[in-house]
Amino acid sequence: MFRLCLDLATKELLPSDNDETTGLNNRVRRNLGLRLPWLFDNNILPESLKELSNCIKDDGNDGAHEGILTTEDAEDILDFTFILLERLYTEPKRIEFAQERQRQRHQNK
């Protein structure tokens, strides 16, 4: 389920057009294992998450296809998924809310 969540969340980060010069093609669009490196290489995902993302390639396929996943592997995937989703959705909203509060405080002066 984590892998599916990451698949859906990262698909929406891709530009709408295929740019073969950057390596973005239909295969990269369809394959999470290819998409994540492309997103890191093109600075769409923060470099600080790159090493942590290795668990998706290494353990995600085992969990999705083989059904063999240790507790530690699942915890690694959980950590990466949580942090990525927080960066993609929670942080931007928190910043937006903080900026709105700041605007309102300055308007009320």
Side-chain angles (χ1 to χ4, degrees):
M1 294 306 294
F2 289 124
R3 198 166 178 271
L4 176 60
C5 177
L6 292 168
D7 189 40
L8 295 172
T10 57
K11 276 183 182 176
E12 67 184 34
L13 299 175
L14 296 172
S16 58
D17 59 331
N18 283 357
D19 184 354
E20 294 290 331
T21 62
T22 64
L24 182 58
N25 56 39
N26 287 330
R27 189 165 179 242
V28 172
R29 286 184 180 283
R30 287 189 313 268
N31 185 313
L32 179 62
L34 299 174
R35 187 179 324 122
L36 284 174
W38 188 92
L39 290 168
F40 285 114
D41 291 345
N42 287 277
N43 300 314
I44 296 171
L45 290 178
E47 183 71 24
S48 60
L49 294 179
K50 190 172 187 174
E51 185 177 336
L52 196 56
S53 76
N54 289 336
C55 67
I56 300 306
K57 180 179 70 63
D58 298 340
D59 303 328
N61 285 339
D62 290 343
H65 302 296
E66 302 291 324
I68 52 170
L69 203 61
T70 67
T71 300
E72 291 81 13
D73 296 336
E75 288 171 349
D76 289 345
I77 295 170
L78 169 64
D79 288 341
F80 176 71
T81 303
F82 183 86
I83 293 167
L84 179 67
L85 294 176
E86 188 171 56
R87 293 257 180 111
L88 292 178
Y89 301 108
T90 306
E91 281 183 17
K93 265 308 189 196
R94 284 183 178 163
I95 291 169
E96 180 183 322
F97 290 154
Q99 288 172 332
E100 181 57 32
R101 285 191 305 270
Q102 185 182 44
R103 274 193 291 278
Q104 289 177 2
R105 281 193 301 272
H106 290 283
Q107 285 178 351
N108 293 333
K109 285 186 175 183

